[in-house]
Amino acid sequence: MSLAAFDAPHAAPSLIRHDWTREEIRALFALPFPELIFRAQQIHRIHFDPAEVQISTLLSIKTGGCPEDCAYCPQAAQYNTGVKAEKLMSLDAVLREAKAAKDGGASRFCMGAAWRSPKDRDLDKVCAMVEGVKAIGLETCVTLGMLDGAQAQRLKSSGLDYYNHNLDTSPEYYGDIITTRTYQDRLDTLDHVRDAGIHVCCGGIVGMGEGLEDRVGMIATLAALPVHPESVPINMLVKVEGTPLDHAAPLDPLDFVRTIAVARITMPGSMVRLSAGREDMSEETQALCFLAGANSIFYGPKLLTTPNPGRDRDMALLDKLGLRAME
Ligand code: SF4
């Protein structure tokens, strides 16, 4: 696709499209870097205040012992990563963490459990957590693995705002990363969540040894969903000793920034979240990600089981860049 073709009337920057072809997305990745960032900024400014960043906090409410085999994940029981399997946290302990997150400036509280899918008795407990966190005045998000339609409805009736379920990568590369459930399983869970009226948080991971075409395929799948996910987390792989991806080839940070920019352009109204991997990212790379249209971060010293920059460091960076937390 030539630069001129992108400017065709049907591709006006403010238009939300669900018919992005892989060829168009490939062409975006191939744009000269300044052109790509310029276009991402243009689109970002139509939909969002470029000085605002939405801040979410993520708490692991049930850590480790997961029966799935996601090759990047230290919580998979079959990898020897030193993460101990724990029980579901108590309601009181979760609400204490939520209150601290609110006091620290978070607007959304995400709770993650290392399950293949929740059992009904666990779901009841998570629903009580959702109700309690909402009562504190935070938006709620949970990530609990696969859901059926009835489970999604149950979460909706507890007041849940967002459900996170990532596609992780392209349909073609997916089998190299996870074998215990299929890409279609993931798409089915996303359908159940959307049908229940819960907002969708869905993105993927870059740096797992995938090729450019897999990044193209991942964005193409996300942008082709019937409704774009309201949140699109783009993670940089955090390599954890003991996981199969511990020795994945390093990713050029500019390739990560490009992925953020292409997500911003193809899903203009979504919050694009700069997620895992910030601990190893320079301030300059993070600044480029914000320029490329990222407008959400996870905040707090830990992301489930992996390190994340401390709150003070994040606030100093946002200050330095003249960015502020979205209300
Ligand atoms: S990413 Fe989630 S489903 Fe996969 S192994 Fe880790 S906790 Fe389990």
Side-chain angles (χ1 to χ4, degrees):
M1 185 176 67
S2 70
L3 300 192
F6 184 83
D7 293 328
H10 73 275
S14 61
L15 190 67
I16 308 267
R17 292 175 51 198
H18 298 268
D19 59 351
W20 287 94
T21 65
R22 284 202 182 200
E23 195 189 352
E24 287 174 300
I25 293 172
R26 213 173 286 129
L28 289 174
F29 272 101
L31 283 172
F33 191 77
E35 180 66 29
L36 176 64
I37 300 298
F38 175 69
R39 290 178 187 213
Q41 266 292 312
Q42 272 186 316
I43 287 169
H44 189 78
R45 282 157 188 265
I46 291 169
H47 294 269
F48 297 100
D49 178 338
E52 286 194 339
V53 177
Q54 189 268 331
I55 293 179
S56 295
T57 291
L58 175 60
L59 174 70
S60 179
I61 57 170
K62 195 276 163 205
T63 302
C66 183
E68 302 293 280
D69 70 349
C70 309
Y72 50 82
C73 182
Q75 302 200 67
Q78 60 182 276
Y79 309 140
N80 195 6
T81 61
V83 171
K84 283 203 221 96
E86 291 172 12
K87 287 198 182 123
L88 183 63
M89 282 175 73
S90 71
L91 177 61
D92 282 355
V94 170
L95 296 185
R96 271 197 303 276
E97 295 278 349
K99 179 80 178 43
K102 173 106 180 15
D103 294 344
S107 60
R108 189 179 307 164
F109 192 69
C110 309
M111 294 170 272
W115 289 319
R116 173 174 167 80
S117 56
K119 297 192 180 70
D120 286 345
R121 65 167 189 275
D122 292 325
L123 200 61
D124 287 343
K125 291 180 186 163
V126 173
C127 286
M129 292 173 188
V130 169
E131 284 163 15
V133 172
K134 277 194 82 84
I136 289 172
L138 286 159
E139 283 187 316
T140 50
C141 177
V142 296
T143 180
L144 312 173
M146 292 187 286
L147 293 184
D148 62 27
Q151 290 175 316
Q153 292 290 348
R154 172 85 187 84
L155 283 164
K156 173 67 183 173
S157 58
S158 73
L160 182 69
D161 299 298
Y162 287 81
Y163 193 84
N164 165 265
H165 200 61
N166 289 334
L167 287 177
D168 286 350
T169 186
S170 67
E172 295 79 12
Y173 194 57
Y174 182 84
D176 287 39
I177 302 297
I178 297 136
T179 67
T180 46
R181 59 180 151 184
T182 65
Y183 211 71
Q184 189 57 48
D185 288 333
R186 299 217 170 205
L187 292 168
D188 291 346
T189 292
L190 293 174
D191 281 348
H192 296 318
V193 169
R194 178 71 68 200
D195 289 349
I198 301 169
H199 292 148
V200 170
C201 171
C202 180
I205 307 174
V206 185
M208 299 193 291
E210 78 286 346
L212 170 62
E213 194 55 31
D214 296 308
R215 285 172 218 141
V216 170
M218 177 179 83
I219 300 277
T221 311
L222 289 167
L225 290 173
V227 179
H228 290 162
E230 282 79 4
S231 279
V232 180
I234 304 289
N235 299 277
M236 179 164 333
L237 175 70
V238 178
K239 292 179 204 170
V240 180
E241 205 179 321
T243 63
L245 290 179
D246 182 16
H247 300 294
L251 178 77
D252 184 331
L254 293 181
D255 288 336
F256 184 77
V257 177
R258 281 183 182 276
T259 310
I260 297 257
V262 176
R264 164 54 62 225
I265 293 169
T266 51
M267 292 170 275
S270 304
M271 310 292 288
V272 175
R273 180 172 307 131
L274 176 53
S275 297
R278 285 198 305 117
E279 174 71 5
D280 297 328
M281 240 177 246
S282 69
E283 288 194 347
E284 291 81 356
T285 300
Q286 293 186 61
L288 278 175
C289 290
F290 292 126
L291 262 181
N295 62 345
S296 172
I297 57 169
F298 273 124
Y299 183 59
K302 249 184 166 189
L303 274 188
L304 296 177
T305 60
T306 56
N308 199 44
R311 291 195 167 99
D312 293 349
R313 229 172 93 195
D314 274 340
M315 275 305 155
L317 177 61
L318 293 187
D319 266 1
K320 211 191 273 191
L321 298 175
L323 300 174
R324 59 180 185 273
M326 199 177 280
E327 288 298 320

